[in-house]
Amino acid sequence: MGSIIIIAPPAAGKGTQSKLLSSKYNISHVSTGDLLRNEIKNGTELGIQIEGIIKSGKLVSDEIILSSLKTKIKQLKNYILDGFPRNINQAIKYDQLLTETNQQIDYVFYIFLDKEISKKRIISRISCNNCGRVYNTEIEESKPKIENICDNCNHNLIKREDDNEESFEKRYDIYIKETQPLIDYYKEKNKLYEIDGNLDKKEIFGKICSIIGDEIDNS
Ligand code: AMP
């Protein structure tokens, strides 16, 4: 086993599915977005440097991402990548890193979703700044039990600074231009599985698990 990659437009369920997989198979969840948001939350030099970029919906440079990611995945055997790679250059650099460390990609899940649905979900999405769980105020099964309070850790829920219409347009545009070419990249490597993001989160999870099977070797 090695890594699982999830590619999807904004709000298609990358984070949610990664968390479910991480808990079912007991493997690490590596979200590059969360790594970067933590830098901002902790007020580090890097956090100050990238705050404006993230808020505007643009991508952070490949150098920054690759160096944060290398540090994070060095000691991991199995992990889920949520939000990486975001472009072909990152995918090539990641392949080189895997060759150096004798690791491999096992599955790439592409969760597809129409732009309008993606946008609607982004506008009504709120998330927990503490544990990262996401909610949606317009989808009954995704609302928090108590308004604005995280079911998981009781912290207040916030609206991510990049979850607004303007940043969404930028993010979606970048997704189409830079991230979608990865679909063909991984198709050619016979790693790609396509999943309908319109399904509810349990159905999506069921489909992913039926592809992976029951067990992942964590030994
Ligand atoms: P996400 O949480 O995956 O939606 O990512 C939020 C933001 O973090 C993105 O809009 C980018 O600004 C930045 N980001 C996350 N992952 C990457 C990546 N692999 N490459 C460049 N920027 C990234």
Side-chain angles (χ1 to χ4, degrees), residues 114-135:
D114 285 345
K115 180 176 178 184
E116 278 317 303
I117 299 176
S118 168
K119 184 171 171 175
K120 250 170 127 175
R121 288 190 189 174
I122 283 288
I123 308 286
S124 49
R125 178 162 85 170
I126 46 176
S127 49
C128 178
N129 203 17
N130 183 51
C131 73
R133 183 153 168 190
V134 294
Y135 298 85

Side-chain angles (χ1 to χ4, degrees), residues 88-109:
I88 296 284
N89 182 49
Q90 290 182 7
I92 292 171
K93 291 277 160 48
Y94 182 56
D95 282 344
Q96 288 165 356
L97 182 65
L98 291 176
T99 309
E100 283 164 26
T101 53
N102 214 11
Q103 291 182 332
Q104 61 175 31
I105 298 167
D106 284 337
Y107 306 93
V108 179
F109 294 106

Side-chain angles (χ1 to χ4, degrees), residues 5 42 46 81 88 90 113 120 124 133 142 153 181 184 217:
I5 291 175
N42 297 332
L46 175 61
L81 280 175
I88 296 284
Q90 290 182 7
L113 190 69
K120 250 170 127 175
S124 49
R133 183 153 168 190
S142 304
C153 68
D184 285 339
D217 177 14

